[in-house]
């Protein structure tokens, strides 16, 4: 990749703000736009993360001096400048399940022609995006779905690990996430609460912040998640590696400490061509944060997306089908 690609980040919460910091350190990719519910900031010369960091946690990027614009429909306003954007990272909440897929449809229908990467988590949401393949292909969009940590880094690790075997018996993903304060990642935590017994995406979407805080208090800030509806399953199934019922995802999220409560692992068990059963284990370093493990891979897939796009390969691809590249 020779020229610098211009990146827009939709969503300026925990992931979006950290993505701005990461992009500060990349010269092949330049952050030119970021938005949230209150508006957007756009600068074709590049937005540095210190502008965003200087904002109070609940302040909109619309209040960034000179480049911020307050508006009710930031995505629509940014789309008016679509010709100045090469790649989009979706760091929006996905509550309800249809929100992100319907946003993707909108990006295509309003004429964006570039690369889009998401960090979607729910199986049903990824299935909705996959169904947009024909529309996105016709719109000359290269889209990589499930390109965060799980799904994402760990799903791709499973796809790679599978190569040693002729039959895959199980894929078990168990993640540990530690964040100092749930406020910094409201959508992520809400979506995790939706996996607890007695909750649903619809129920959580209707709950106030105070109600979410009460649920966290009841659990001392710890969420233990089992048998989650996580898109690693459909992504590995679509790649032809293993049927979705053999993929299990769970984990522990501590919403009151940045220290990981458990190490994050992906364990793939299979049978080799000699008939031997064995397990490959991929473990993330405990010091790596959720932001590092989601945003780093997302940019790797963004770069891969630009390569695909340059070869006129359009439509929806998944994180188990495309090897991320390394953006400098
Ligand atoms: P967050 O709640 O911290 O921030 C969301 C941002 O989106 C906010 O800035 C909000 O103002 C903005 N927003 C909401 N509606 C908008 C609209 N209509 N127009 C413009 N902006 C709007 O979210 P987060 O915790 O950073 O999570 C973002 C997403 O990333 C979630 O969907 C989460 O599930 C996903 N995620 C994926 C992984 C993974 O490994 N795949 C890991 C963590 C988070």
């Amino acid at each position: 990749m020779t020229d610098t690609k211009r990146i827009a980040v939709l969503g300026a919460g925990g992931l979006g703000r950290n993505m701005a910091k990461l992009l500060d350190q990349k010269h092949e990719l330049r952050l030119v736009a970021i938005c949230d519910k209150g508006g957007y900031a756009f600068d074709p010369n590049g937005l540095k993360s210190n502008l965003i960091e200087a904002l109070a946690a609940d302040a909109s990027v619309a209040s960034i001096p000179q480049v911020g614009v307050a508006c009710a429909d930031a995505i629509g306003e940014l789309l008016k400048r679509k010709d100045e954007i090469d790649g989009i990272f979706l760091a929006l909440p996905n509550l309800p399940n249809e929100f992100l897929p319907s946003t993707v449809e909108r990006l295509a229908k309003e004429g964006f022609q570039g690369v889009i990467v998401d960090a979607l988590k729910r199986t049903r949401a990824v299935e909705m995006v996959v169904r947009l393949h024909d529309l996105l292909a016709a719109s000359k969009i290269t889209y990589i779905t499930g390109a965060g940590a799980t799904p994402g880094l760990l799903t791709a690790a499973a796809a790679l690990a599978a190569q040693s075997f002729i039959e895959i018996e199980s894929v078990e993903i168990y993640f540990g996430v530690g964040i100092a304060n749930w406020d910094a990642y409201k959508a992520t935590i809400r979506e995790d609460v939706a996996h607890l017994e007695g909750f649903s995406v619809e129920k959580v979407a209707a709950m106030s912040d105070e109600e979410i805080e009460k649920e966290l208090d009841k659990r001392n800030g710890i969420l233990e998640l089992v048998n989650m509806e996580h898109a690693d399953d459909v992504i590995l199934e679509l790649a032809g590696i293993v049927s979705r019922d053999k993929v299990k995802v769970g984990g522990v999220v501590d919403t009151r400490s940045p220290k990981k409560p458990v190490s994050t692992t992906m364990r793939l068990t299979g049978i080799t061509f000699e008939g031997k059963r064995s397990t490959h284990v991929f473990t993330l370093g405990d010091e790596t944060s959720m932001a590092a493990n989601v945003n780093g891979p997302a940019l790797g897939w963004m770069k891969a997306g630009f390569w695909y796009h340059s070869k006129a390969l359009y439509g929806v691809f998944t994180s188990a089908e495309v090897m991320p590249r390394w953006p400098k």
Side-chain angles (χ1 to χ4, degrees):
M1 199 159 74
T2 47
D3 53 336
T4 302
K5 299 294 185 190
R6 301 160 299 178
I7 308 301
V9 173
L10 307 191
L15 284 188
R17 287 175 182 226
N18 277 297
M19 187 57 111
K21 283 194 203 170
L22 176 58
L23 283 166
D24 274 352
Q25 299 181 42
K26 301 281 176 189
H27 59 259
E28 289 182 341
L29 306 171
R30 177 194 299 149
L31 180 70
V32 295
I34 188 163
C35 74
D36 56 31
K37 270 190 181 159
Y40 69 92
F42 196 105
D43 187 347
N45 297 317
L47 288 166
K48 289 291 169 207
S49 67
N50 58 355
L51 296 171
I52 301 161
E53 255 183 295
L55 300 171
D58 53 355
S60 166
V61 294
S63 55
I64 297 177
Q66 273 109 49
V67 292
V69 179
C71 60
D73 177 22
I75 296 173
E77 291 303 314
L78 277 182
L79 273 167
K80 292 183 184 158
R81 301 189 69 168
K82 59 182 184 293
D83 295 339
E84 295 171 76
I85 298 168
D86 301 308
I88 294 177
F89 174 57
L90 299 171
L92 296 165
N94 193 37
L95 292 166
N97 249 339
E98 299 73 31
F99 176 64
L100 218 116
S102 64
T103 302
V104 173
E105 204 171 339
R106 181 175 181 200
L107 295 174
K109 289 192 169 153
E110 294 193 21
F112 174 71
Q113 295 189 348
V115 175
I116 307 176
V117 170
D118 72 42
L120 272 176
K121 295 204 284 194
R122 285 259 171 186
T123 303
R124 276 172 296 161
V126 165
E127 284 174 328
M128 284 182 225
V129 167
V130 168
R131 282 199 288 273
L132 295 175
H133 175 80
D134 290 347
L135 170 70
L136 298 192
S139 310
K140 297 195 171 155
I141 288 172
T142 301
Y143 191 106
I144 298 165
T145 188
T150 168
L153 184 58
L154 299 172
T155 334
L160 197 58
Q163 308 302 329
S164 300
F165 304 99
I166 53 158
E167 186 196 333
I168 310 307
E169 292 188 327
S170 65
V171 176
E172 288 171 23
I173 289 172
Y174 201 71
F175 61 80
V177 168
I179 51 179
N181 183 345
W182 90 280
D183 271 15
Y185 286 98
K186 281 189 178 167
T188 303
I189 300 306
R190 277 177 176 272
E191 289 169 36
D192 284 343
V193 170
H195 286 282
L196 296 172
E197 216 180 309
F199 291 86
S200 66
V201 173
E202 293 71 25
K203 187 168 174 183
V204 164
M207 285 167 74
S208 66
D209 280 0
E210 292 69 33
E211 286 170 317
I212 298 279
E213 262 155 40
K214 257 194 208 151
E215 288 304 324
L216 295 176
D217 279 344
K218 274 191 212 163
R219 296 166 174 79
N220 290 323
I222 308 271
L223 300 176
E224 281 191 57
L225 303 155
V226 288
N227 284 333
M228 300 172 81
E229 186 215 314
H230 239 239
D232 308 78
D233 61 359
V234 64
I235 290 173
L236 289 169
E237 184 173 271
L238 285 171
I241 293 169
V242 63
S243 61
R244 65 177 76 190
D245 55 301
K246 291 181 177 157
V247 181
K248 299 268 176 285
V249 180
V252 185
V253 181
D254 188 342
T255 59
R256 294 183 180 164
S257 160
K259 194 169 178 288
K260 274 190 198 187
V262 293
S263 296
T264 297
T265 52
M266 185 289 299
R267 304 170 68 84
L268 177 139
T269 300
I271 309 284
T272 68
F273 75 99
E274 307 105 322
K276 294 220 170 74
R277 173 176 289 116
S278 191
T279 302
H280 282 344
V281 184
F282 176 71
T283 308
L284 300 187
D286 286 341
E287 301 76 11
T288 57
S289 62
M290 179 170 76
N293 291 318
V294 174
N295 288 341
L299 290 188
W301 272 298
M302 178 79 79
K303 179 162 174 173
F306 285 124
W307 189 81
Y308 272 50
H309 199 261
S310 73
K311 307 276 177 250
L313 290 167
Y314 309 129
V316 181
F317 303 89
T318 74
S319 50
E321 294 170 334
V322 177
M323 179 69 110
R325 295 176 73 125
W326 178 258
K328 293 197 212 62

